[in-house]
Amino acid sequence: MIQLIRFKRILLGQPLTNQMAAHELIPKWKALALLSSDALSSVAYATEEILIPLAAFSAVAVSWSIPISIAIALLLFILTVSYRQTIDAYPSGGGAYIVAKENLGTYAGLTAGASLLVDYVLTVAVSTASGVENLASAFPMLAEHKELIGALVIFLLMVLNLRGVKESATIFAMPTYLFIGSFLLLVLVGVFKAITGSGPGSEIAETAATQVVPNLNNSAAAVPLFLILRAFSSGCTALTGIEAISNGIPLFKQPSQKNAKITMAWMAIILGFLFLSITLLCHFFNIIPKEGETAVSLLSHAVFGNSFFYYVIQASTALILFLAANTSYADFPRLSSLLAKDRFLPRQLASVGDRLVFSNGILGLSLSAILLIVIFRGETHLLIPLYAIGVFLSFTLSQGGMVLHHLREKQEGWAGSCFFNLLGAITTLVILLVIGSTKFMMGAWMVVVFIPILVLIFTRIHVHYLAVGRELTLTGQTPPPKLEPFRHTVIVPISGIHRGVIDALRYALSISDDVRACYVEIDSATTERIQGEWQKWAKEIPFVVLKSPYRSVITPLLEYLDDLEQTTHRDLVTIIIPEFITSKWRHQILHNQTALLIRTALLFKPRKVVTSVRYHLQGT
């Protein structure tokens, strides 16, 4: 055990006191890296998701990527303004869950909470899978190990986040700013080569396009509305994660509201600029994603060829995609803790760990994301259809809740704020319906089914906690004049006579005047020998022999306890289990685990108290 504690300290660091919580708050430049990495990372795959369905149709369809991207950028502006209103109205964080619960009712809040939890798990899975695919684009030998690499990346993120918010934000800041810098360089050089007509890599991309899309020159074909809507819904993945800042306001240094609003503005500006620029450059260089190579990789080839900067772009893209998952690690545990405090999730999720983070939430998020990576074989395109449903459902509920908040409070400037929130609610609802209809048969149905199931689980957990509270409460009870001790019989199950048994019997005599030893007979000769020993060491304590013709130890003991409860009419029956503990943990597995079986069998038996008296061996 000591070795495990030491290993934990090496891996996660020394515990932090409650007084150090204020020092764990982060400045704006770290918050941008921690809370915006999910949104910024979508630059790496959002354009590609638009191009894939369009390119499969015709060149005319590919040209729709520009207006689609502009529409998404406009939506980004609307949502950014709307969520800045949310930051002002709800400075304690909680995002869509708190807003919807307080303004639209409990079930709306639970639906928003379930949507966000699903979104956060999918963020980790999609970001990790996309990061691995970008690495595999540069190093094809990694492609066959995508699931293993993805699981290892998630494990590393889990460990870093268990070390604490401030430390993880510091570690993740450099890769985030490397990504921003490298993509700005890609955009600037790409625009320069587009203007001067000196793009050396465009032939590569165009050749790939003709191989993958043989009907690329079929410009006469009409573009179906459904295809445009499908490409638009795929591209809306660029908007995932923009709500993270409004959820994580308590992480900011003071003044937290002001710092959160500034950080959100910078995130939106950077995201919008890079997303539109990458889409325009892909259009200019005729970039069409192909099997085994992403659109970003093809664009980097077109702009930089096989130079050093190409690998910088790929490395920074993979890093930001891996780190995009970290946005979920900042928000999933915090949202889980809010749901747990409201008694909709297990209370363990509300517990703060040694490093002032919600450790159980971090572990749950990691295991869930690894499971998704394994189920969907680490394929981004299989995960993407599941992705945006939860995001836009929470967007819609949050914005709708803010509309009612403004109408009720009517604070200064409420009309303009209400307009933007209403516009955001209507827009995100329309997009939710578009995504639901275009992606439903591609896998979105799983999220549509799972979110109501999750809400049902929340409500059943809540019902359980309320029932427990009703049974445990002392409200309405008359206090007794004096607390009286329980009258109880003590049973000591034994398998023989040794020092550990003697210690257990002495303890039993110290707490009750009705002590009985129980021995389950498997072999009559052994029983006679033990009875002889009993007369030497504990003859004053009744020795009860329980017959077991089928050689079971547990069943005869349980039957005896049931009979005892009916005949003695005592308040409780206490079972004291003698145990000996070896000095080395590995030696313990060499011994019978009957004590564990007895404790397990008695776990749900009412009015039974089970305890152990442990005798620690020194020389083993």
Side-chain angles (χ1 to χ4, degrees):
M1 182 60 69
I2 295 176
Q3 289 83 352
L4 288 175
I5 294 174
R6 286 176 180 171
F7 177 73
K8 179 182 177 182
R9 295 289 169 256
I10 293 171
L11 193 65
L12 305 182
Q14 295 299 318
L16 300 175
T17 64
N18 292 332
Q19 290 74 17
M20 297 179 71
H23 300 288
E24 289 295 294
L25 300 179
I26 54 178
K28 295 188 291 294
W29 69 273
K30 285 187 179 181
L32 182 65
L34 182 68
L35 298 175
S36 300
S37 54
D38 178 18
L40 295 176
S41 70
S42 61
V43 173
Y45 54 80
T47 299
E48 179 174 345
E49 292 301 318
I50 295 173
L51 290 173
I52 288 174
L54 295 176
F57 189 76
S58 70
V60 171
V62 170
S63 65
W64 273 93
S65 62
I66 303 301
I68 287 173
S69 299
I70 293 173
I72 292 172
L74 179 62
L75 181 58
L76 170 63
F77 170 75
I78 295 172
L79 288 174
T80 301
V81 174
S82 299
Y83 271 106
R84 281 167 62 89
Q85 313 288 347
T86 303
I87 292 173
D88 282 331
Y90 293 91
S92 60
Y97 167 63
I98 296 296
V99 175
K101 184 166 74 75
E102 291 192 4
N103 297 286
L104 300 175
T106 300
Y107 281 100
L110 293 179
T111 302
S115 303
L116 285 172
L117 291 180
V118 170
D119 171 44
Y120 292 144
V121 174
L122 283 167
T123 294
V124 177
V126 170
S127 300
T128 304
S130 185
V132 173
E133 286 181 353
N134 272 273
L135 274 181
S137 294
F139 306 100
M141 73 287 296
L142 301 177
E144 58 183 290
H145 305 294
K146 288 192 295 186
E147 295 164 63
L148 176 60
I149 296 172
L152 290 175
V153 169
I154 293 173
F155 177 79
L156 178 60
L157 288 171
M158 179 189 75
V159 171
L160 291 174
N161 278 277
L162 287 172
R163 293 186 65 90
V165 172
K166 185 176 181 180
E167 191 163 339
S168 62
T170 302
I171 294 170
F172 297 147
M174 186 179 296
T176 301
Y177 288 107
L178 173 64
F179 171 80
I180 295 172
S182 62
F183 266 64
L184 284 174
L185 179 64
L186 174 65
V187 169
L188 292 175
V189 176
V191 169
F192 173 78
K193 291 188 174 182
I195 293 172
T196 60
S198 56
S202 57
E203 296 84 2
I204 300 173
E206 193 167 356
T207 302
T210 56
Q211 292 174 350
V212 179
V213 191
N215 62 333
L216 192 62
N217 295 318
N218 183 18
S219 58
V223 183
L225 176 62
F226 182 80
L227 180 67
I228 296 171
L229 292 176
R230 179 177 169 186
F232 175 74
S233 64
S234 297
C236 281
T237 54
L239 302 174
T240 55
I242 65 171
E243 82 291 345
I245 292 175
S246 68
N247 293 344
I249 302 170
L251 298 175
F252 284 84
K253 284 187 173 182
Q254 294 296 333
S256 56
Q257 284 176 266
K258 180 181 178 182
N259 289 336
K261 290 174 69 176
I262 293 172
T263 305
M264 174 157 263
W266 276 110
M267 180 270 296
I269 291 169
I270 296 170
L271 172 59
F273 174 76
L274 291 180
F275 171 60
L276 286 174
S277 300
I278 294 299
T279 304
L280 287 168
L281 288 175
C282 283
H283 181 71
F284 176 81
F285 286 108
N286 297 318
I287 299 299
I288 304 296
K290 65 175 183 177
E291 185 70 28
E293 189 166 9
T294 62
V296 168
S297 176
L298 288 165
L299 179 60
S300 301
H301 264 137
V303 175
F304 294 119
N306 285 315
S307 68
F308 168 77
F309 289 107
Y310 164 77
Y311 292 98
V312 171
I313 294 292
Q314 292 307 107
S316 66
T317 300
L319 281 173
I320 193 65
L321 287 167
F322 292 146
L323 300 187
N326 201 60
T327 299
S328 293
Y329 279 100
D331 283 340
F332 180 98
R334 188 169 296 277
L335 175 58
S336 298
S337 73
L338 292 174
L339 285 161
K341 288 175 183 176
D342 290 340
R343 295 184 289 186
F344 291 109
L345 278 178
R347 289 178 177 173
Q348 297 92 319
L349 292 169
S351 302
V352 178
D354 290 350
R355 298 287 295 180
L356 296 176
V357 293
F358 298 104
S359 306
N360 292 326
I362 292 173
L363 292 171
L365 173 61
S366 303
L367 293 175
S368 301
I370 289 174
L371 182 63
L372 279 181
I373 289 286
V374 172
I375 291 174
F376 291 92
R377 305 189 303 277
E379 296 287 344
T380 305
H381 297 308
L382 295 178
L383 289 164
I384 284 288
L386 285 66
Y387 196 16
I389 290 286
V391 179
F392 281 92
L393 180 55
S394 65
F395 282 173
T396 303
L397 291 171
S398 175
Q399 299 308 305
M402 285 301 297
V403 170
L404 292 182
H405 171 81
H406 291 309
L407 291 174
R408 185 179 64 251
E409 300 295 331
K410 292 188 177 179
Q411 297 175 348
E412 184 179 355
W414 69 272
S417 299
C418 185
F419 169 77
F420 271 104
N421 286 131
L422 180 60
L423 183 61
I426 294 172
T427 307
T428 53
L429 176 60
V430 171
I431 294 171
L432 174 63
L433 295 175
V434 170
I435 293 173
S437 59
T438 57
K439 302 281 187 179
F440 189 81
M441 297 309 297
M442 298 172 63
W445 65 269
M446 287 184 274
V447 177
V448 173
V449 170
F450 185 69
I451 288 177
I453 292 174
L454 201 53
V455 171
L456 178 62
I457 292 172
F458 291 161
T459 56
R460 298 315 301 167
I461 290 174
H462 192 67
V463 168
H464 166 75
Y465 278 132
L466 291 179
V468 170
R470 283 194 297 269
E471 292 206 30
L472 293 179
T473 185
L474 292 174
T475 303
Q477 300 292 314
T478 303
K482 178 185 177 182
L483 284 178
E484 299 291 341
F486 275 126
R487 297 175 299 115
H488 65 135
T489 299
V490 176
I491 303 300
V492 183
I494 67 170
S495 59
I497 305 294
H498 54 69
R499 294 181 186 181
V501 169
I502 298 301
D503 279 2
L505 292 171
R506 293 178 65 187
Y507 174 72
L509 290 170
S510 71
I511 63 173
S512 177
D513 56 1
D514 185 4
V515 178
R516 310 178 191 191
C518 289
Y519 174 76
V520 179
E521 181 181 271
I522 305 297
D523 174 63
S524 57
T526 304
T527 303
E528 292 179 7
R529 179 179 59 79
I530 292 176
Q531 285 177 321
E533 291 288 314
W534 191 260
Q535 293 304 311
K536 297 179 185 178
W537 291 99
K539 59 185 177 182
E540 65 277 8
I541 297 176
F543 184 81
V544 180
V545 178
L546 305 176
K547 302 293 183 179
S548 181
Y550 297 104
R551 298 162 301 284
S552 169
V553 175
I554 304 299
T555 302
L557 178 62
L558 294 179
E559 291 174 349
Y560 175 73
L561 291 174
D562 290 338
D563 292 341
L564 185 68
E565 186 176 26
Q566 294 178 7
T567 56
T568 60
H569 303 292
R570 292 297 183 102
D571 298 320
L572 293 174
V573 175
T574 300
I575 299 92
I576 296 177
I577 303 175
E579 291 185 84
F580 62 86
I581 307 299
T582 59
S583 59
K584 295 181 176 61
W585 66 267
R586 60 182 179 274
H587 292 168
Q588 196 69 30
I589 62 176
L590 301 175
H591 300 280
N592 200 331
Q593 303 300 315
T594 306
L596 177 62
L597 296 175
I598 294 174
R599 279 197 295 270
T600 303
L602 293 171
L603 183 61
F604 296 105
K605 289 283 186 178
R607 316 303 290 175
K608 305 291 188 298
V609 178
V610 184
T611 187
S612 297
V613 174
R614 297 181 176 90
Y615 186 86
H616 290 266
L617 304 177
Q618 302 299 319
T620 60

